[in-house]
Amino acid sequence: MTAVLLSPYACLALALALSNAAPVHHDIMIKDAAEDHSHPEGEDHHYEKPDRCKGIEFDAITPDEKGNTFFFKGDHLWKGFSGPAELSNNTFKELDDYHHLGHVDAAFRMHHQDDLSVHDHIYFFLDDKVFSYYNYTLEQGYPVEIQQEFPGIPSHLDAAVECPKGECITDSVLFFKDNEIYSFDIKTKSVKKKVWAHLPNCKSAFRWLEHYYCFHGYNFTRFHPVSGDVMGAYPKDARKYFMRCEGFGHGDGAKRQRCSEVKLNAITTDDKGRSYAFQDAMYMRLDTHRDGSHHFPISRLWKNISGVVDAVFDYGDNMYIIQGDQVYIYKSAAHFTLIEGYPKPLKEELGIDGPVDAAFLCPNQHIVNVIQGQKMYDIDLAATPRAVKMERPIPIPKIDAGFCDAEGVKVFIGPEYYSYQNPMILVMGKIKPTPQKISKEKFGCEE
């Protein structure tokens, strides 16, 4: 079943109040299992269903290739963030065939787009064995020894979580055992061992929308996947954020924003295909539909930014965020690290005065189109110094945000957008295209 996550457009007051917290999900909350039952050998080990709301410690958490999230405890699992437990061997029957108690030590979804034969496969770790599944089917040749598939990684793990390039330095997997963390480079199969003494011993780990969560007991702690740093007040009770439990959830009263109420301030896609939309002091990922949607404070991912941004665009490996008469440049590959010396005046960086209304850069181009009122400025980013190459009037007033991809240019005005084949047609077009509505499928709003 597909999990339905809390709308990214939950009221901003709630979202800002939770700016240092994990995402609050509407329809994806969980209930913790009671106690892990052990049973004499030879007896049927399938007893009463555990309850996630009673405060248990999960054995493993992982999404599948469709974005459904599985939570494991003993011989049971939960599909998604709400609903009752069911026997894990109903979905992954081979786990029970090989390990009769069905206990999963760790699990993660592989991110390795350079090798599509393993990308999006789910890996389960049981004692000294690893299982690879795709579409709930065990891959031929599995299980194998952990050392055969992941050399340098110990058996009897506590947790595992994928870490794509850009969030980690390379496409990696983080393995947890006691207070030791093994960072495994998927391409080179090299391992770096770390000790994050300040982080609790993770019994399961979960990556959701570029955020990393260590689950311990019935609590969780959000951490940085490279440094292990913990930002904000943790631990927090998982029942308040990752599951629907009576008396615990505080997101139930928040209402989803209607699509007719959406107004974007900026939108962009980086060179890795990650799409971000900015609204007021919040942002959301647009390219991760299978994992759900959620609004997060902009300052969580882009340090030093507070309040509303005016325009955003990507050039090379950098993201440019324009706010007032200042421009901030972040290194995307370094998990959005602000480049030393920034922010700088917009006049010094791009040769124009702020504020601006929108900016966009088409794929494989080095001309950024900056919209200010009913004028569009073409600025050559490859030139030194950067300056306005061309100034042209545009027929559309009050543009809120602009975006350009392989399909052309889209300019957003309130809850609608207009599509153009290229920037030239945007400038020269005499007839306004038919407006298209911001969709619930893309933005998670309600019609």
Side-chain angles (χ1 to χ4, degrees), residues 25-47:
H25 313 299
H26 260 8
D27 299 313
I28 62 166
M29 312 307 191
I30 324 170
K31 303 173 172 67
D32 291 70
E35 297 179 355
D36 192 12
H37 301 285
S38 59
H39 310 284
E41 185 176 353
E43 290 188 17
D44 184 357
H45 59 279
H46 304 318
Y47 282 84

PDB file of all heavy atoms in Angstrom, residues 25-47:
ATOM      1  N   HIS A  25       3.751  13.764  10.152  1.00  0.00           N
ATOM      2  CA  HIS A  25       2.988  13.158   9.078  1.00  0.00           C
ATOM      3  C   HIS A  25       1.529  13.135   9.468  1.00  0.00           C
ATOM      4  O   HIS A  25       1.180  12.870  10.596  1.00  0.00           O
ATOM      5  CB  HIS A  25       3.454  11.723   8.818  1.00  0.00           C
ATOM      6  CG  HIS A  25       4.941  11.622   8.741  1.00  0.00           C
ATOM      7  ND1 HIS A  25       5.662  12.300   7.803  1.00  0.00           N
ATOM      8  CD2 HIS A  25       5.836  10.936   9.493  1.00  0.00           C
ATOM      9  CE1 HIS A  25       6.937  12.023   7.967  1.00  0.00           C
ATOM     10  NE2 HIS A  25       7.061  11.213   8.984  1.00  0.00           N
ATOM     11  N   HIS A  26       0.660  13.356   8.468  1.00  0.00           N
ATOM     12  CA  HIS A  26      -0.775  13.299   8.723  1.00  0.00           C
ATOM     13  C   HIS A  26      -1.261  11.867   8.726  1.00  0.00           C
ATOM     14  O   HIS A  26      -1.795  11.378   9.704  1.00  0.00           O
ATOM     15  CB  HIS A  26      -1.500  14.058   7.623  1.00  0.00           C
ATOM     16  CG  HIS A  26      -1.883  15.419   8.066  1.00  0.00           C
ATOM     17  ND1 HIS A  26      -1.466  15.945   9.238  1.00  0.00           N
ATOM     18  CD2 HIS A  26      -2.652  16.354   7.465  1.00  0.00           C
ATOM     19  CE1 HIS A  26      -1.961  17.151   9.358  1.00  0.00           C
ATOM     20  NE2 HIS A  26      -2.673  17.423   8.292  1.00  0.00           N
ATOM     21  N   ASP A  27      -1.129  11.248   7.597  1.00  0.00           N
ATOM     22  CA  ASP A  27      -1.738   9.938   7.438  1.00  0.00           C
ATOM     23  C   ASP A  27      -0.699   8.850   7.501  1.00  0.00           C
ATOM     24  O   ASP A  27      -0.872   7.760   7.003  1.00  0.00           O
ATOM     25  CB  ASP A  27      -2.482   9.882   6.107  1.00  0.00           C
ATOM     26  CG  ASP A  27      -3.577  10.922   6.067  1.00  0.00           C
ATOM     27  OD1 ASP A  27      -4.326  11.018   7.050  1.00  0.00           O
ATOM     28  OD2 ASP A  27      -3.659  11.619   5.059  1.00  0.00           O
ATOM     29  N   ILE A  28       0.469   9.158   8.146  1.00  0.00           N
ATOM     30  CA  ILE A  28       1.533   8.178   8.124  1.00  0.00           C
ATOM     31  C   ILE A  28       2.088   7.961   9.515  1.00  0.00           C
ATOM     32  O   ILE A  28       3.272   8.020   9.696  1.00  0.00           O
ATOM     33  CB  ILE A  28       2.650   8.647   7.240  1.00  0.00           C
ATOM     34  CG1 ILE A  28       3.200   9.929   7.804  1.00  0.00           C
ATOM     35  CG2 ILE A  28       2.238   8.817   5.852  1.00  0.00           C
ATOM     36  CD1 ILE A  28       4.486  10.301   7.224  1.00  0.00           C
ATOM     37  N   MET A  29       1.323   7.923  10.466  1.00  0.00           N
ATOM     38  CA  MET A  29       1.861   7.758  11.786  1.00  0.00           C
ATOM     39  C   MET A  29       1.880   6.282  12.155  1.00  0.00           C
ATOM     40  O   MET A  29       1.231   5.475  11.547  1.00  0.00           O
ATOM     41  CB  MET A  29       1.040   8.553  12.787  1.00  0.00           C
ATOM     42  CG  MET A  29       0.806   9.956  12.315  1.00  0.00           C
ATOM     43  SD  MET A  29       2.317  10.751  11.875  1.00  0.00           S
ATOM     44  CE  MET A  29       1.795  12.399  11.699  1.00  0.00           C
ATOM     45  N   ILE A  30       2.680   5.950  13.156  1.00  0.00           N
ATOM     46  CA  ILE A  30       2.913   4.550  13.431  1.00  0.00           C
ATOM     47  C   ILE A  30       2.581   4.219  14.867  1.00  0.00           C
ATOM     48  O   ILE A  30       2.514   5.077  15.697  1.00  0.00           O
ATOM     49  CB  ILE A  30       4.382   4.229  13.213  1.00  0.00           C
ATOM     50  CG1 ILE A  30       4.882   5.037  12.075  1.00  0.00           C
ATOM     51  CG2 ILE A  30       4.558   2.781  12.955  1.00  0.00           C
ATOM     52  CD1 ILE A  30       6.341   4.967  11.955  1.00  0.00           C
ATOM     53  N   LYS A  31       2.421   2.969  15.147  1.00  0.00           N
ATOM     54  CA  LYS A  31       2.176   2.527  16.507  1.00  0.00           C
ATOM     55  C   LYS A  31       3.214   1.492  16.856  1.00  0.00           C
ATOM     56  O   LYS A  31       3.459   0.586  16.111  1.00  0.00           O
ATOM     57  CB  LYS A  31       0.771   1.953  16.606  1.00  0.00           C
ATOM     58  CG  LYS A  31      -0.282   2.963  16.168  1.00  0.00           C
ATOM     59  CD  LYS A  31      -1.622   2.321  16.117  1.00  0.00           C
ATOM     60  CE  LYS A  31      -2.703   3.343  15.871  1.00  0.00           C
ATOM     61  NZ  LYS A  31      -2.697   3.984  14.619  1.00  0.00           N
ATOM     62  N   ASP A  32       3.825   1.657  18.017  1.00  0.00           N
ATOM     63  CA  ASP A  32       4.928   0.779  18.375  1.00  0.00           C
ATOM     64  C   ASP A  32       4.446  -0.551  18.916  1.00  0.00           C
ATOM     65  O   ASP A  32       3.430  -0.636  19.593  1.00  0.00           O
ATOM     66  CB  ASP A  32       5.793   1.435  19.451  1.00  0.00           C
ATOM     67  CG  ASP A  32       6.522   2.612  18.897  1.00  0.00           C
ATOM     68  OD1 ASP A  32       5.837   3.605  18.610  1.00  0.00           O
ATOM     69  OD2 ASP A  32       7.725   2.533  18.738  1.00  0.00           O
ATOM     70  N   ALA A  33       5.210  -1.562  18.621  1.00  0.00           N
ATOM     71  CA  ALA A  33       4.859  -2.895  19.094  1.00  0.00           C
ATOM     72  C   ALA A  33       5.164  -3.025  20.567  1.00  0.00           C
ATOM     73  O   ALA A  33       6.014  -2.353  21.103  1.00  0.00           O
ATOM     74  CB  ALA A  33       5.647  -3.929  18.312  1.00  0.00           C
ATOM     75  N   ALA A  34       4.449  -3.910  21.212  1.00  0.00           N
ATOM     76  CA  ALA A  34       4.599  -4.051  22.656  1.00  0.00           C
ATOM     77  C   ALA A  34       5.952  -4.615  22.990  1.00  0.00           C
ATOM     78  O   ALA A  34       6.916  -3.910  23.078  1.00  0.00           O
ATOM     79  CB  ALA A  34       3.484  -4.933  23.189  1.00  0.00           C
ATOM     80  N   GLU A  35       6.109  -5.888  23.156  1.00  0.00           N
ATOM     81  CA  GLU A  35       7.372  -6.502  23.505  1.00  0.00           C
ATOM     82  C   GLU A  35       7.720  -7.541  22.476  1.00  0.00           C
ATOM     83  O   GLU A  35       6.864  -8.111  21.821  1.00  0.00           O
ATOM     84  CB  GLU A  35       7.278  -7.157  24.885  1.00  0.00           C
ATOM     85  CG  GLU A  35       7.008  -6.163  26.010  1.00  0.00           C
ATOM     86  CD  GLU A  35       6.910  -6.873  27.338  1.00  0.00           C
ATOM     87  OE1 GLU A  35       6.965  -8.112  27.344  1.00  0.00           O
ATOM     88  OE2 GLU A  35       6.782  -6.199  28.351  1.00  0.00           O
ATOM     89  N   ASP A  36       9.020  -7.774  22.328  1.00  0.00           N
ATOM     90  CA  ASP A  36       9.470  -8.809  21.413  1.00  0.00           C
ATOM     91  C   ASP A  36       9.346 -10.157  22.123  1.00  0.00           C
ATOM     92  O   ASP A  36       9.885 -10.352  23.202  1.00  0.00           O
ATOM     93  CB  ASP A  36      10.925  -8.545  21.021  1.00  0.00           C
ATOM     94  CG  ASP A  36      11.343  -9.422  19.868  1.00  0.00           C
ATOM     95  OD1 ASP A  36      10.475 -10.044  19.248  1.00  0.00           O
ATOM     96  OD2 ASP A  36      12.546  -9.478  19.607  1.00  0.00           O
ATOM     97  N   HIS A  37       8.576 -11.085  21.543  1.00  0.00           N
ATOM     98  CA  HIS A  37       8.345 -12.364  22.176  1.00  0.00           C
ATOM     99  C   HIS A  37       9.311 -13.388  21.643  1.00  0.00           C
ATOM    100  O   HIS A  37       9.492 -13.527  20.456  1.00  0.00           O
ATOM    101  CB  HIS A  37       6.909 -12.823  21.895  1.00  0.00           C
ATOM    102  CG  HIS A  37       5.889 -11.853  22.399  1.00  0.00           C
ATOM    103  ND1 HIS A  37       5.568 -11.711  23.714  1.00  0.00           N
ATOM    104  CD2 HIS A  37       5.134 -10.945  21.727  1.00  0.00           C
ATOM    105  CE1 HIS A  37       4.645 -10.779  23.854  1.00  0.00           C
ATOM    106  NE2 HIS A  37       4.376 -10.298  22.661  1.00  0.00           N
ATOM    107  N   SER A  38       9.933 -14.125  22.504  1.00  0.00           N
ATOM    108  CA  SER A  38      10.752 -15.262  22.094  1.00  0.00           C
ATOM    109  C   SER A  38       9.996 -16.529  22.443  1.00  0.00           C
ATOM    110  O   SER A  38       9.226 -16.567  23.401  1.00  0.00           O
ATOM    111  CB  SER A  38      12.107 -15.235  22.803  1.00  0.00           C
ATOM    112  OG  SER A  38      11.932 -15.270  24.202  1.00  0.00           O
ATOM    113  N   HIS A  39      10.228 -17.586  21.644  1.00  0.00           N
ATOM    114  CA  HIS A  39       9.442 -18.786  21.793  1.00  0.00           C
ATOM    115  C   HIS A  39      10.340 -19.999  21.697  1.00  0.00           C
ATOM    116  O   HIS A  39      11.341 -19.989  20.994  1.00  0.00           O
ATOM    117  CB  HIS A  39       8.373 -18.852  20.698  1.00  0.00           C
ATOM    118  CG  HIS A  39       7.595 -17.580  20.589  1.00  0.00           C
ATOM    119  ND1 HIS A  39       6.625 -17.227  21.482  1.00  0.00           N
ATOM    120  CD2 HIS A  39       7.691 -16.561  19.698  1.00  0.00           C
ATOM    121  CE1 HIS A  39       6.121 -16.050  21.152  1.00  0.00           C
ATOM    122  NE2 HIS A  39       6.752 -15.628  20.075  1.00  0.00           N
ATOM    123  N   PRO A  40      10.002 -21.061  22.401  1.00  0.00           N
ATOM    124  CA  PRO A  40      10.807 -22.273  22.354  1.00  0.00           C
ATOM    125  C   PRO A  40      10.909 -22.790  20.941  1.00  0.00           C
ATOM    126  O   PRO A  40       9.988 -22.648  20.142  1.00  0.00           O
ATOM    127  CB  PRO A  40      10.023 -23.246  23.259  1.00  0.00           C
ATOM    128  CG  PRO A  40       9.167 -22.381  24.120  1.00  0.00           C
ATOM    129  CD  PRO A  40       8.850 -21.180  23.310  1.00  0.00           C
ATOM    130  N   GLU A  41      12.076 -23.364  20.642  1.00  0.00           N
ATOM    131  CA  GLU A  41      12.322 -23.884  19.309  1.00  0.00           C
ATOM    132  C   GLU A  41      11.267 -24.929  18.965  1.00  0.00           C
ATOM    133  O   GLU A  41      10.904 -25.782  19.763  1.00  0.00           O
ATOM    134  CB  GLU A  41      13.721 -24.509  19.250  1.00  0.00           C
ATOM    135  CG  GLU A  41      14.105 -24.959  17.849  1.00  0.00           C
ATOM    136  CD  GLU A  41      15.526 -25.467  17.811  1.00  0.00           C
ATOM    137  OE1 GLU A  41      16.210 -25.342  18.834  1.00  0.00           O
ATOM    138  OE2 GLU A  41      15.932 -25.983  16.775  1.00  0.00           O
ATOM    139  N   GLY A  42      10.777 -24.850  17.729  1.00  0.00           N
ATOM    140  CA  GLY A  42       9.800 -25.805  17.252  1.00  0.00           C
ATOM    141  C   GLY A  42       8.373 -25.353  17.463  1.00  0.00           C
ATOM    142  O   GLY A  42       7.456 -25.912  16.896  1.00  0.00           O
ATOM    143  N   GLU A  43       8.147 -24.296  18.288  1.00  0.00           N
ATOM    144  CA  GLU A  43       6.798 -23.822  18.490  1.00  0.00           C
ATOM    145  C   GLU A  43       6.474 -22.737  17.464  1.00  0.00           C
ATOM    146  O   GLU A  43       7.347 -22.076  16.932  1.00  0.00           O
ATOM    147  CB  GLU A  43       6.640 -23.241  19.911  1.00  0.00           C
ATOM    148  CG  GLU A  43       6.694 -24.299  20.992  1.00  0.00           C
ATOM    149  CD  GLU A  43       6.342 -23.701  22.335  1.00  0.00           C
ATOM    150  OE1 GLU A  43       5.763 -22.591  22.362  1.00  0.00           O
ATOM    151  OE2 GLU A  43       6.642 -24.325  23.337  1.00  0.00           O
ATOM    152  N   ASP A  44       5.212 -22.571  17.191  1.00  0.00           N
ATOM    153  CA  ASP A  44       4.781 -21.505  16.290  1.00  0.00           C
ATOM    154  C   ASP A  44       5.093 -20.170  16.946  1.00  0.00           C
ATOM    155  O   ASP A  44       4.653 -19.892  18.058  1.00  0.00           O
ATOM    156  CB  ASP A  44       3.274 -21.645  16.043  1.00  0.00           C
ATOM    157  CG  ASP A  44       2.761 -20.636  15.033  1.00  0.00           C
ATOM    158  OD1 ASP A  44       3.570 -19.809  14.579  1.00  0.00           O
ATOM    159  OD2 ASP A  44       1.559 -20.690  14.722  1.00  0.00           O
ATOM    160  N   HIS A  45       5.868 -19.315  16.242  1.00  0.00           N
ATOM    161  CA  HIS A  45       6.285 -18.056  16.853  1.00  0.00           C
ATOM    162  C   HIS A  45       5.340 -16.909  16.524  1.00  0.00           C
ATOM    163  O   HIS A  45       5.610 -15.762  16.856  1.00  0.00           O
ATOM    164  CB  HIS A  45       7.700 -17.688  16.398  1.00  0.00           C
ATOM    165  CG  HIS A  45       7.842 -17.536  14.914  1.00  0.00           C
ATOM    166  ND1 HIS A  45       7.991 -18.616  14.079  1.00  0.00           N
ATOM    167  CD2 HIS A  45       7.867 -16.447  14.123  1.00  0.00           C
ATOM    168  CE1 HIS A  45       8.105 -18.212  12.835  1.00  0.00           C
ATOM    169  NE2 HIS A  45       8.026 -16.889  12.828  1.00  0.00           N
ATOM    170  N   HIS A  46       4.230 -17.148  15.860  1.00  0.00           N
ATOM    171  CA  HIS A  46       3.321 -16.081  15.479  1.00  0.00           C
ATOM    172  C   HIS A  46       2.253 -15.924  16.544  1.00  0.00           C
ATOM    173  O   HIS A  46       1.258 -16.646  16.565  1.00  0.00           O
ATOM    174  CB  HIS A  46       2.680 -16.385  14.127  1.00  0.00           C
ATOM    175  CG  HIS A  46       3.690 -16.627  13.056  1.00  0.00           C
ATOM    176  ND1 HIS A  46       4.827 -15.868  12.930  1.00  0.00           N
ATOM    177  CD2 HIS A  46       3.735 -17.551  12.052  1.00  0.00           C
ATOM    178  CE1 HIS A  46       5.539 -16.297  11.890  1.00  0.00           C
ATOM    179  NE2 HIS A  46       4.896 -17.324  11.348  1.00  0.00           N
ATOM    180  N   TYR A  47       2.452 -14.976  17.452  1.00  0.00           N
ATOM    181  CA  TYR A  47       1.500 -14.751  18.522  1.00  0.00           C
ATOM    182  C   TYR A  47       0.765 -13.434  18.265  1.00  0.00           C
ATOM    183  O   TYR A  47       0.588 -13.024  17.135  1.00  0.00           O
ATOM    184  CB  TYR A  47       2.212 -14.754  19.869  1.00  0.00           C
ATOM    185  CG  TYR A  47       2.535 -16.165  20.341  1.00  0.00           C
ATOM    186  CD1 TYR A  47       3.689 -16.817  19.890  1.00  0.00           C
ATOM    187  CD2 TYR A  47       1.694 -16.844  21.220  1.00  0.00           C
ATOM    188  CE1 TYR A  47       3.990 -18.106  20.308  1.00  0.00           C
ATOM    189  CE2 TYR A  47       1.984 -18.134  21.642  1.00  0.00           C
ATOM    190  CZ  TYR A  47       3.139 -18.762  21.179  1.00  0.00           C
ATOM    191  OH  TYR A  47       3.434 -20.036  21.590  1.00  0.00           O
TER     192      TYR A  47
END
